Amino acid sequence: MIKHLPFRIFVYSIFISLVFACKNDAKIVQNEYEIASDTINFQWQKLKQGGFTINHGAILIPVKLEGIDKTFKMQLDLGIDHNVIYGDTLRAITSAYPALQNNIQHREGYDVFYNQIHFGNQQPIAQDSLMVQKNFGKSENLKDFDIIGTLGANEIKNKILLIDFKSQQLVITEKLEDWEADSFSYTPLRFKNNQLYLDLIANGSKNAVVYNTQASMFPLATIDADLFKSITEENNTEIKKLKSWGEEISFTGSNIITKIRIADVNLPINNKKAFFTEAEKVSKTLKSENLKAVIGSDLFMNNTIVIDLVNNRFGIK
């Protein structure tokens, strides 16, 4: 049960998140998942900001609400610690299904909607309570929209999340078979403030970064000038100005030309850019956690990753 409001939205969201809106029998065979009962197929949501498009903006997972014969989608955002349903969207749902109005309970300053939600593979999600984010989402006819909310880090706490980016499939489990686990290269993982902290290797040195499955504006964004200079072209830079929480922030970007890796796996850098900012709000927040950069899913499009919150490790292959 959700006891506390509000969402803990950190300044990492300047880089990480742009919000628009189980039992395991799956196996990995030759770098691909077999289609099993607990395999979840996901889609990408494109995001647009500042005149450019982010193709891999947000992971959308199919879900079904109890009592409604329609498949919806929810974003996977490990940067929040609970599940959310958009308030305007919920109003459209309860207009079409008035009985569900009884599932809303009022708390001091916020509402909670109770419903047993299932993933697209029919497995129930961990929590049956969704915090209502007021004045957000769509309120048109139910048939005209499908994204209804966000799934948070509570879905994978003390569990293991595998994401096969090539196949656009994921699995949530409690244990890996030995041969599965041995197929990954690992680096230590810290899970703090609902953020995933790990090391990125560049020029032989470790750089503490934060990764989130939710949207990242850039493949890599850093507050460390030395790191930026060491991995990018000295010339051919570009400037992006984006707004976050009403403040315009300037980023300097350039092509990544130096190999970067996680554990022992080199990441794809062709046509990938890194961006640097000196914005005080961003720098102060990241420096407070001794972080140098934020990375997004765009760096993993050729890989399968494992976010292992049982053994506190991040795996990649």
Side-chain angles (χ1 to χ4, degrees):
M1 182 178 297
I2 297 170
K3 297 180 179 179
H4 302 289
L5 186 84
F7 305 77
R8 298 194 64 187
I9 301 178
F10 298 88
V11 180
Y12 304 128
S13 62
I14 294 172
F15 292 143
I16 297 171
S17 297
L18 283 178
V19 180
F20 282 33
C22 308
K23 168 188 158 195
N24 179 32
D25 59 2
K27 302 301 179 185
I28 302 173
V29 180
Q30 295 179 349
N31 295 324
E32 293 183 359
Y33 291 117
E34 292 180 350
I35 302 300
S37 60
D38 60 350
T39 299
I40 301 169
N41 296 297
F42 67 85
Q43 298 176 0
W44 286 110
Q45 181 186 23
K46 290 184 178 181
L47 304 179
K48 294 183 179 181
Q49 168 85 340
F52 65 99
T53 299
I54 310 158
N55 289 320
H56 306 123
I59 290 175
L60 298 178
I61 296 178
V63 298
K64 296 202 75 169
L65 297 178
E66 193 80 18
I68 300 179
D69 186 22
K70 176 179 170 63
T71 299
F72 297 101
K73 296 183 181 71
M74 298 182 76
Q75 296 179 116
L76 178 64
D77 184 358
L78 302 185
I80 60 175
D81 63 358
H82 49 264
N83 299 333
V84 172
I85 189 166
Y86 305 143
D88 291 348
T89 299
L90 179 59
R91 187 164 61 250
I93 290 172
T94 54
S95 294
Y97 296 87
L100 292 179
Q101 187 69 41
N102 298 325
N103 293 34
I104 301 174
Q105 294 190 14
H106 304 285
R107 300 288 185 265
E108 185 177 351
Y110 65 99
D111 294 337
V112 178
F113 176 66
Y114 289 89
N115 189 287
Q116 183 57 70
I117 298 180
H118 291 77
F119 290 117
N121 60 5
Q122 303 305 314
Q123 294 294 319
I125 68 171
Q127 302 293 325
D128 66 352
S129 57
L130 295 90
M131 182 177 288
V132 179
Q133 186 176 2
K134 294 182 178 180
N135 303 317
F136 205 87
K138 294 185 178 182
S139 58
E140 298 97 37
N141 190 290
L142 192 62
K143 67 180 181 180
D144 295 330
F145 63 84
D146 57 1
I147 301 175
I148 63 171
T150 302
L151 297 171
N154 50 282
E155 291 301 322
I156 67 163
K157 284 182 179 177
N158 302 314
K159 294 184 181 180
I160 300 170
L161 170 65
L162 296 100
I163 307 178
D164 182 340
F165 288 99
K166 281 186 177 180
S167 300
Q168 291 186 207
Q169 295 176 337
L170 61 84
V171 172
I172 299 173
T173 184
E174 296 179 354
K175 187 180 184 300
L176 294 178
E177 298 294 336
D178 290 341
W179 66 268
E180 275 183 307
D182 290 344
S183 67
F184 290 89
S185 179
Y186 293 98
T187 188
L189 175 67
R190 283 196 305 138
F191 187 59
K192 181 181 178 183
N193 299 333
N194 297 304
Q195 303 291 340
L196 303 168
Y197 300 160
L198 61 149
D199 288 327
L200 178 79
I201 310 299
N203 290 321
S205 64
K206 291 183 179 180
N207 301 273
V209 302
V210 58
Y211 164 65
N212 193 288
T213 56
Q214 176 66 329
S216 180
M217 289 299 301
F218 313 116
L220 187 154
T222 181
I223 59 170
D224 188 290
D226 291 334
L227 173 61
F228 178 70
K229 291 177 182 178
S230 70
I231 64 173
T232 60
E233 292 180 315
E234 183 175 353
N235 301 316
N236 195 29
T237 60
E238 63 176 296
I239 304 295
K240 295 287 187 184
K241 293 186 177 181
L242 305 174
K243 286 188 176 180
S244 180
W245 307 103
E247 178 180 335
E248 187 174 75
I249 297 176
S250 179
F251 297 86
T252 300
S254 185
N255 292 325
I256 300 174
I257 58 172
T258 301
K259 288 183 180 180
I260 56 176
R261 61 183 172 89
I262 290 177
D264 295 324
V265 178
N266 290 325
L267 300 177
I269 60 173
N270 290 339
N271 301 314
K272 306 292 184 185
K273 292 181 181 290
F275 284 79
F276 168 73
T277 184
E278 296 179 294
E280 182 179 356
K281 181 163 54 173
V282 180
S283 298
K284 182 178 180 180
T285 303
L286 294 181
K287 286 179 180 178
S288 70
E289 294 293 339
N290 296 314
L291 296 166
K292 291 186 178 181
V294 176
I295 59 175
S297 295
D298 201 50
L299 288 176
F300 301 124
M301 290 300 105
N302 296 332
N303 304 102
T304 297
I305 66 171
V306 55
I307 298 169
D308 185 346
L309 298 186
V310 176
N311 301 292
N312 298 315
R313 58 186 181 175
F314 183 97
I316 183 170
K317 68 172 184 177

